[in-house]
Amino acid sequence: PGAWRLTLPAGVTLDVPWLLNATGRRPNTADLGLEAIGVTTDSHAAVRVDARCQSSVPHVFAIGDVTNRKNLTPVAIAEGRAVADRLFGGVRDAQVDLSRVASAVFMLPPIGTIGPSESDLIAAGTTLRAYEADFKPMRHAFTGRGERTYMKLLVDDASDRVLAVHMIGADAPEIVQSLAVALSAGATKAHFDATIAVHPTAAEEFVLLRTLARRSG
């Protein structure tokens, strides 16, 4: 048995050698004096902002981890650029769309993701089509290694637009970064289906997904 035994909500037990306790982060805003000027924070001490990074005080803006929205360095850079463009560059509608930000967890196997989870989309009232693939990459066909790859596409049933991409497996961050361009451009499932696959690659599975796993919402 492993060093740790986990009992999951469904009653399934797992013996594992390592256990990671992810406690999260808390914005370091306690000593900034925000309350003295009327800037509102939430229960986690994050500065409350709107889509334009504007706080409850009109001339105070907050970007990056201090807002506790998408705690990623590229997001903070993009938010800072958008605020600067709007205030000083004459781009009146500059703001960052946080709904399709690609992110990754660099572990073994790595995880790559764009867009909301399936459960979050269902909770928001979206009717979805979910497509999935679970396979052993061709690179391991003759190695005897048991590594597998999992992929998921979430598609809005009404518009056919791809709302989210999730992947666990080798090269997931690299593949998901490329797909982020397609999702930002409003790609539909029909666009994915019309794309010719590069064979043999793991990424080709995203354009070969044809069998509907389930319809939700």
Side-chain angles (χ1 to χ4, degrees):
W4 299 87
R5 172 162 290 180
L6 304 180
T7 301
L8 305 182
V12 178
T13 60
L14 294 175
D15 291 318
V16 296
W18 301 97
L19 180 64
L20 173 64
N21 184 15
T23 59
R25 291 177 287 183
R26 185 180 179 88
N28 187 17
T29 60
D31 299 322
L32 296 181
L34 298 177
E35 65 283 351
I37 61 172
V39 173
T40 303
T41 58
D42 65 16
S43 59
H44 298 286
V47 178
R48 294 184 183 274
V49 294
D50 60 15
R52 296 157 61 89
C53 297
Q54 190 172 40
S55 74
S56 55
V57 177
H59 61 276
V60 176
F61 296 83
I63 63 171
D65 294 6
V66 75
T67 67
N68 201 31
R69 297 188 297 176
K70 291 284 187 179
N71 298 332
L72 300 167
T73 299
V75 171
I77 294 171
E79 288 177 334
R81 183 182 295 116
V83 171
D85 285 346
R86 194 170 61 252
L87 296 180
F88 309 110
V91 186
R92 299 182 60 182
D93 59 348
Q95 64 184 57
V96 178
D97 180 4
L98 298 179
S99 65
R100 280 178 291 278
V101 175
S103 62
V105 180
F106 295 95
M107 52 181 282
L108 293 175
I111 300 172
T113 183
I114 317 166
S117 67
E118 185 172 356
S119 58
D120 284 346
L121 286 170
I122 293 172
T126 307
T127 301
L128 297 174
R129 302 197 312 273
Y131 298 84
E132 295 175 317
D134 183 348
F135 60 94
K136 177 184 286 190
M138 188 171 292
R139 71 173 74 176
H140 297 314
F142 303 104
T143 65
R145 298 177 63 177
E147 293 182 22
R148 300 187 66 81
T149 291
Y150 172 78
M151 297 175 170
K152 179 193 284 188
L153 276 181
L154 298 176
V155 181
D156 179 59
D157 199 36
S159 66
D160 198 46
R161 184 172 181 175
V162 178
L163 300 178
V165 171
H166 305 296
M167 177 179 175
I168 303 174
D171 302 320
E174 301 288 348
I175 293 171
V176 163
Q177 173 66 91
S178 298
L179 290 177
V181 179
L183 267 66
S184 295
T188 64
K189 182 62 167 62
H191 289 134
F192 275 66
D193 293 345
T195 301
I196 304 300
V198 178
H199 181 77
T201 65
E204 69 179 305
E205 291 298 322
F206 276 119
V207 300
L208 296 176
L209 290 169
R210 297 292 190 275
T211 303
L212 179 67
R214 60 191 162 276
R215 183 176 271 106
S216 307

